[in-house]
């Protein structure tokens, strides 16, 4: 077909004037927009308005097209698994691009749906109970330190389980944060470090897994220590003092406390006694090994956690140390097993202000059975795990849902609550009274910790 010099088809009506011709170009082809913008004097107000309207419509169409492509990503993946396989057709190219992105999906929708599905089987009355989850690294705060990222991922995957191990990992990660910290100009360490540096680390760890009592107490003490510094104190000296404080916390409240509790509790085991314990707790394990080391003879019955199976490892360790062990894989037949025991030794995750014990699920059953059978029920717990402000009367207020055993049909709580009336005594790192104190006396123990002159 023949064309005229201006690009219009032959026989087509000629444009009315140059203004109409120049105004119609931007509306049809965006490439003509710069040329029209170079000569704004040739456009009437109506033509400028039409041009802006056309550009806005083009941008809106582009946004809608992007949203449609994003929304089609998940259905395309499902179609590739179902219909695509039936028809023998290869998956679409969008699915290939999504799979090549690895474990960092760029779309927030599937992540939200996955989180909803993880809690879909939890009844409404348990909706307040938190659950650990793996946080995508692409969704973390930009200021989270790599050491904290590693600790959070390990906690979410339960590679670090008990409260003291999580506390130590947190403090060591905070040491890395403080070592690499530099106070910005115009700020002071005591006013800038906590809100702008530490708080993002704490929020990330809490998002990975709910904070345990030991972590909460240690973080509260660390913040108090940071706020006690003067704004004019030299940064190097302040950082050095903070690092020393963290080392002291680890050595005294974790390592030394562990040694003292094991020594104090081993002294409470009588010669020829029948000891019963539940699952595997590191303080109980160290206590039994310490009692054997000082020459005491006793038998141990292990009632294992049917889900964790830590009692199997404890039984092997005790047998290698020369201790006679009776192993039971679950809580079945608990009453006759407890009836032959004289001392029930249990490990705790935390103790509340009213003396109730927070421990692994199943601990309350063993403690109640032991108390009803007339045996001593001794709990081992560090004072860093004491909560002076909160009380607990059931296992529904402060607990976690086990993410590994959470299905649409059922779920499992990680901890239970043992009332203080079923506990004969609590062994701490204090040496007074042999380290054995009533569960209701934790507030007095904490006051003694703060001021040793109180007696």
């Amino acid at each position: 077909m023949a064309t005229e010099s201006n690009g219009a088809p032959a026989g087509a009506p000629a444009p009315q004037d140059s203004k109409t011709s120049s105004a119609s170009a931007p509306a049809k082809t965006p490439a003509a927009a710069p040329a029209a913008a170079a000569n704004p004097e040739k456009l009437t107000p109506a033509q400028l308005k039409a041009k802006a309207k056309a550009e806005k419509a083009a941008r809106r169409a582009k946004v809608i097209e992007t949203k449609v492509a994003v929304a089609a990503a998940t259905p395309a993946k499902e179609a590739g698994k179902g219909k695509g396989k039936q028809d023998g057709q290869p998956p679409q190219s969008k699915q290939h691009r999504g799979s090549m992105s690895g474990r960092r999906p760029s779309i927030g929708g599937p992540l939200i749906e996955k989180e909803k599905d993880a809690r879909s089987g939890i009844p409404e009355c348990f909706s307040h109970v938190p659950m650990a989850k793996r946080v995508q690294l692409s969704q973390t705060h930009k200021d989270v330190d790599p050491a904290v990222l590693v600790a959070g991922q390990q906690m979410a995957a339960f590679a670090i389980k008990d409260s003291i191990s999580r506390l130590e990992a947190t403090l060591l990660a905070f040491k890395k944060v403080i070592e690499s910290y530099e106070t910005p100009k115009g700020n002071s360490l005591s006013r800038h470090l906590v809100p702008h540096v530490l708080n993002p680390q704490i929020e990330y760890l809490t998002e990975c897994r709910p904070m345990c009592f030991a972590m909460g107490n240690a973080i509260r003490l660390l913040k108090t220590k940071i706020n006690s510094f003067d704004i004019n104190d030299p940064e190097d000296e302040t950082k050095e003092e903070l690092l020393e404080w963290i080392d002291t916390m680890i050595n005294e409240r974790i390592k030394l406390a562990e040694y003292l509790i094991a020594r104090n509790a081993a002294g409470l085991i009588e010669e020829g006694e029948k000891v019963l314990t539940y699952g595997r707790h590191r303080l109980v394990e160290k206590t039994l090994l310490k009692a054997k080391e000082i020459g005491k003879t006793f038998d141990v019955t292990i009632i294992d956690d049917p889900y964790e199976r830590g009692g199997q490892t404890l039984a092997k360790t005790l047998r290698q140390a020369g201790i006679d062990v009776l192993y039971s894989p679950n809580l079945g037949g608990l009453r006759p097993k407890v009836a032959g025991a004289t001392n029930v030794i249990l490990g705790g995750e935390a103790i509340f202000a009213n003396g109730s014990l927070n421990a692994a699920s199943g601990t309350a059953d063993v403690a109640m059975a032991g108390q009803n059978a007339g045996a001593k029920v001794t709990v081992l717990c560090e004072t860093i795990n004491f909560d002076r402000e909160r009380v607990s009367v059931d296992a529904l207020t402060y607990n976690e849902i086990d993410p590994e055993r959470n299905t649409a049909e059922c779920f499992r709580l990680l901890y239970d609550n043992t009332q203080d009336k079923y506990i004969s005594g609590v062994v701490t790192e204090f040496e007074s009274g042999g380290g054995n104190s009533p569960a209701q006396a934790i507030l007095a123990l904490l006051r003694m910790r703060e001021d040793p002159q109180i007696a």
Side-chain angles (χ1 to χ4, degrees):
M1 180 184 293
T3 59
E4 298 180 358
S5 59
N6 60 357
Q16 298 297 329
D17 51 20
S18 60
K19 294 182 180 180
T20 305
S21 176
S22 61
S24 61
K28 293 182 179 180
T29 58
N39 299 313
E41 66 277 6
K42 294 183 180 181
L43 300 178
T44 64
Q47 292 169 344
L48 289 173
K49 184 176 181 180
K51 171 190 170 184
K53 188 175 181 180
E55 292 177 350
K56 183 176 180 181
R59 290 194 301 267
R60 184 179 299 173
K62 186 176 181 180
V63 171
I64 294 175
E65 182 182 356
T66 303
K67 289 184 178 180
V68 171
V70 170
T74 303
K77 184 176 182 180
E78 295 177 355
K81 293 181 180 179
K83 183 177 178 180
K85 290 183 179 180
Q86 295 176 359
D87 299 341
Q89 298 177 356
Q92 300 178 1
S93 59
K94 290 181 181 179
Q95 182 179 357
H96 283 293
R97 289 197 297 268
S99 62
M100 290 174 62
S101 61
R103 296 185 178 182
R104 290 191 180 184
S106 58
I107 303 171
L111 293 177
I112 298 175
E113 293 177 1
K114 184 177 180 180
E115 176 65 19
K116 289 182 179 179
D117 294 339
R119 300 183 65 90
S120 60
I122 300 175
E124 183 71 21
C125 58
F126 291 94
S127 59
H128 66 284
V129 183
M131 180 174 62
K133 64 178 182 179
R134 290 177 180 248
V135 180
Q136 297 291 330
L137 297 181
S138 59
Q139 295 179 331
T140 58
H141 195 281
K142 61 182 179 64
D143 293 330
V144 177
D145 189 90
V148 179
L149 288 174
V150 173
Q153 293 297 320
Q154 290 177 336
M155 293 179 191
F158 283 76
I160 303 177
K161 292 185 178 181
D162 65 279
S163 60
I164 294 299
S165 298
R166 293 166 62 191
L167 168 62
E168 185 173 4
T170 301
L171 292 177
L172 292 176
F174 284 176
K175 281 190 64 177
K176 299 290 186 181
V177 174
I178 295 174
E179 288 174 352
S180 60
Y181 171 77
E182 294 183 0
T183 306
K185 292 183 179 180
N187 292 279
S188 63
L189 184 146
S190 59
R191 300 297 180 265
H192 182 269
L193 178 60
V194 171
H196 299 283
V197 179
L198 280 186
N199 283 347
Q201 324 296 325
I202 298 170
E203 291 173 1
Y204 170 75
L205 293 176
T206 306
E207 189 176 4
C208 290
R209 187 179 175 187
M211 189 178 300
C212 64
F213 296 91
M215 290 172 59
N217 290 333
I219 290 174
R220 192 178 302 111
L221 294 173
L222 177 59
K223 288 183 176 181
T224 302
K225 179 66 177 178
I226 294 174
N227 293 331
S228 66
F229 291 112
D230 189 84
I231 59 176
N232 297 321
D233 290 343
E235 178 180 337
D236 294 340
E237 296 180 4
T238 303
K239 290 173 59 176
E240 186 67 25
E241 187 171 346
L242 282 176
L243 296 176
E244 292 179 359
W245 183 89
I246 292 178
D247 289 335
T248 302
M249 172 71 70
I250 295 175
N251 292 329
E252 291 186 0
R253 305 300 294 270
I254 297 179
K255 297 180 180 179
L256 181 60
E258 183 180 88
Y259 169 78
L260 293 176
I261 290 174
R263 187 192 66 179
N264 294 338
L268 300 176
I269 298 177
E270 303 294 338
E271 186 70 23
E273 199 165 36
K274 305 290 185 180
V275 178
L276 183 139
T277 188
Y278 175 71
R280 183 195 183 195
H281 194 279
R282 55 184 186 79
L283 290 179
V284 176
E285 180 176 347
K286 291 183 179 297
T287 295
L288 298 176
L289 294 176
K290 184 66 176 178
K292 181 64 178 180
E293 180 184 339
I294 62 179
K296 292 189 176 182
T297 303
F298 55 92
D299 299 334
V300 177
T301 299
I302 300 176
I303 308 296
D304 203 0
D305 186 333
Y307 297 97
E308 300 296 336
R309 297 296 184 187
Q312 294 180 355
T313 305
L314 176 61
K316 294 177 182 178
T317 303
L318 298 181
R319 287 297 299 270
Q320 291 175 357
I323 301 175
D324 293 335
V325 178
L326 174 63
Y327 174 81
S328 177
N330 51 50
L331 293 169
L334 177 60
R335 183 173 297 179
K337 296 185 179 73
V338 173
T342 57
N343 192 352
V344 178
I345 302 179
L346 304 171
E349 286 290 306
I351 297 181
F352 293 94
N354 62 339
S356 60
L357 171 68
N358 180 271
S361 292
T363 303
D365 297 313
V366 177
M368 287 186 288
Q371 189 72 19
N372 294 334
K376 297 183 297 182
V377 179
T378 306
V379 173
L380 314 183
C381 189
E382 302 91 339
T383 55
I384 193 66
N385 282 315
F386 287 3
D387 192 321
R388 69 172 68 201
E389 298 177 355
R390 291 175 287 188
V391 299
S392 179
V393 295
D394 55 44
L396 302 181
T397 306
Y398 307 105
N399 214 321
E400 293 183 49
I401 295 175
D402 188 350
E404 298 179 358
R405 298 171 182 87
N406 173 37
T407 64
E409 293 78 19
C410 62
F411 67 96
R412 173 178 178 259
L413 296 177
L414 289 176
Y415 306 108
D416 62 18
N417 184 276
T418 305
Q419 298 182 18
D420 60 294
K421 63 181 180 180
Y422 299 111
I423 301 174
S424 304
V426 178
V427 178
T428 67
E429 61 264 34
F430 291 105
E431 299 184 30
S432 59
N436 190 4
S437 304
Q440 305 90 336
I442 70 162
L443 294 179
L445 290 174
L446 291 176
R447 286 194 293 269
M448 291 176 59
R449 177 86 194 185
E450 296 170 356
D451 187 359
Q453 296 181 356
I454 299 178

